[in-house]
Amino acid sequence: MRGAMELEPELLLQEARENVEAAQSYRRELGHRLEGLREARRQIKESASQTRDVLKQHFNDLKGTLGKLLDERLVTLLQEVDTIEQETIKPLDDCQKLIEHGVNTAEDLVREGEIAMLGGVGEENEKLWSFTKKASHIQLDSLPEVPLLVDVPCLSAQLDDSILNIVKDHIFKHGTVASRPPVQIEELIEKPGGIIVRWCKVDDDFTAQDYRLQFRKCTSNHFEDVYVGSETEFIVLHIDPNVDYQFRVCARGDGRQEWSPWSVPQIGHSTLVPHEWTAGFEGYSLSSRRNIALRNDSESSGVLYSRAPTYFCGQTLTFRQVDIKTSYLPQELPAVTSGSTVTFDIEAVTLGTCNNNEGGHFKLRVTISSNNREVVFDWLLDQSCGSLYFGCSFFYPGWKVLVF
């Protein structure tokens, strides 16, 4: 009984230590969740502020554009009014000049006739004769024709007020505010010199026609387009190892022209060393990153190897044919044409009791795939390999092969 009493304080102390450790772990977990809440709050606040700015800028631009279009239309209509006015006033001006000339002629003739008649018949006969002769040469019964009011333009503006209702309907339906984008990045998978980006649709009511993927270094302020199409997976190449990149994706709805809001950016990087072809071989040209090789010499050996053993079991090694004529793999696989890919997947297989007749102590299972068809074979080795070189037989000049 006394021994149990002596052990009780130690048990209590141990239990206290465990409770303290549990409380510390609980506090750490709560701290992580508080940080997650802060990130969520920050995302809501920042995206709301950015959305307000985008909306204000868009509608200000829209108002400016609409105002400019209305002003341009007003100028066009006013010019039409000016043209009609000028073209139809000119004949009236010509007619007015003719009438005014006739009025002046008649006034002169009246004045001259009154003077001639004041002299009476006698010594003024010569003036009367001269006036009568002059009057006979003037067609006093010929009057210019003045158009009736119904025959001359009466300008008016034809304005359809229904355009206001049409514009109002379009304006009231213009733009939407989405609480979350219809697509999100689902997975980032590192590859040697690249990252596979997979995304998925998260809005069941949204029918996607195309997707648009962008990326940038985390130190950059500018996103670049790397893919536009209907697939939901794309490998982004030319990725520097151990450098953080941001990726985002958006979608275009079926039958729509505008793109959806961007997904939440995801950060990814690759720790794998990029695959490179061996430089300096005569008859071959390499790209700046040395992941694309071109055979340009008909007298080269036709085989090119990697610069280093950068392939490890469990990875997928991919060769993509670029700008080549049709080439042929084993009969079990389809012919490879420009743009086709051939992948190699290798896994180590554990052997039981060694059988010397098999000629090896270690076995690798190799799966070669192309165009949804594959070939599997076992490769027996005398010793284990942590990493492997790779090579490719460039059978004809002009073959260009990308490896990743």
Side-chain angles (χ1 to χ4, degrees), residues 44-277:
I44 293 173
K45 291 287 187 181
E46 291 180 356
S47 63
S49 176
Q50 182 180 7
T51 301
R52 291 189 192 96
D53 293 340
V54 169
L55 287 172
K56 291 177 182 177
Q57 183 63 46
H58 175 75
F59 277 85
N60 283 334
D61 293 344
L62 198 60
K63 285 192 291 185
T65 302
L66 288 175
K68 182 179 179 181
L69 292 174
L70 290 173
D71 290 342
E72 290 177 353
R73 183 56 181 164
L74 175 60
V75 169
T76 299
L77 293 175
L78 292 177
Q79 288 176 345
E80 290 184 17
V81 172
D82 293 341
T83 299
I84 296 174
E85 181 184 29
Q86 293 171 5
E87 291 178 351
T88 55
I89 283 292
K90 187 178 183 306
L92 300 183
D93 290 341
D94 295 340
C95 184
Q96 181 175 342
K97 292 179 181 178
L98 182 60
I99 292 175
E100 289 175 348
H101 176 71
V103 170
N104 293 333
T105 302
E107 288 179 350
D108 293 342
L109 192 61
V110 169
R111 219 172 14 252
E112 187 175 345
E114 289 177 345
I115 293 173
M117 288 186 298
L118 286 176
V121 181
E123 57 184 23
E124 299 298 334
N125 284 343
E126 186 177 345
K127 289 183 178 181
L128 288 172
W129 173 254
S130 176
F131 169 73
T132 302
K133 184 178 180 181
K134 182 177 181 180
S136 65
H137 288 87
I138 298 176
Q139 298 179 352
L140 297 176
D141 58 349
S142 176
L143 295 174
E145 184 177 355
V146 175
L148 300 175
L149 294 180
V150 295
D151 296 329
V152 296
C154 181
L155 279 68
S156 63
Q158 304 296 315
L159 302 174
D160 187 359
D161 292 338
S162 66
I163 190 176
L164 296 177
N165 294 326
I166 296 174
V167 172
K168 186 194 302 182
D169 290 341
H170 282 283
I171 289 177
F172 285 166
K173 296 176 182 177
H174 181 67
T176 58
V177 176
S179 60
R180 54 180 55 85
V183 290
Q184 293 285 9
I185 291 177
E186 185 179 29
E187 190 177 16
L188 298 174
I189 304 173
E190 64 175 347
K191 294 275 292 181
I195 294 178
I196 296 176
V197 184
R198 291 175 179 163
W199 55 90
C200 63
K201 193 178 64 164
V202 295
D203 185 351
D204 293 335
D205 297 328
F206 184 84
T207 302
Q209 175 180 323
D210 291 308
Y211 297 98
R212 180 182 178 188
L213 176 65
Q214 290 187 337
F215 87 117
R216 70 177 179 184
K217 287 184 178 180
C218 286
T219 55
S220 174
N221 295 322
H222 177 65
F223 277 96
E224 298 180 22
D225 285 330
V226 288
Y227 174 75
V228 174
S230 60
E231 300 295 329
T232 56
E233 176 182 313
F234 185 76
I235 179 168
V236 181
L237 298 175
H238 309 312
I239 295 294
D240 295 325
N242 301 309
V243 174
D244 286 338
Y245 290 83
Q246 274 191 332
F247 301 87
R248 66 181 186 180
V249 66
C250 65
R252 181 162 50 199
D254 190 19
R256 306 296 295 270
Q257 295 296 323
E258 72 278 6
W259 292 99
S260 73
W262 290 104
S263 66
V264 177
Q266 299 291 328
I267 297 178
H269 66 274
S270 176
T271 60
L272 305 177
V273 177
H275 296 315
E276 295 180 4
W277 297 105

Side-chain angles (χ1 to χ4, degrees), residues 5-25:
M5 294 290 292
E6 290 176 352
L7 290 175
E8 186 175 348
E10 295 181 2
L11 293 174
L12 291 175
L13 182 60
Q14 179 63 27
E15 185 176 355
R17 289 196 188 99
E18 292 176 355
N19 287 331
V20 169
E21 291 177 358
Q24 290 175 339
S25 177

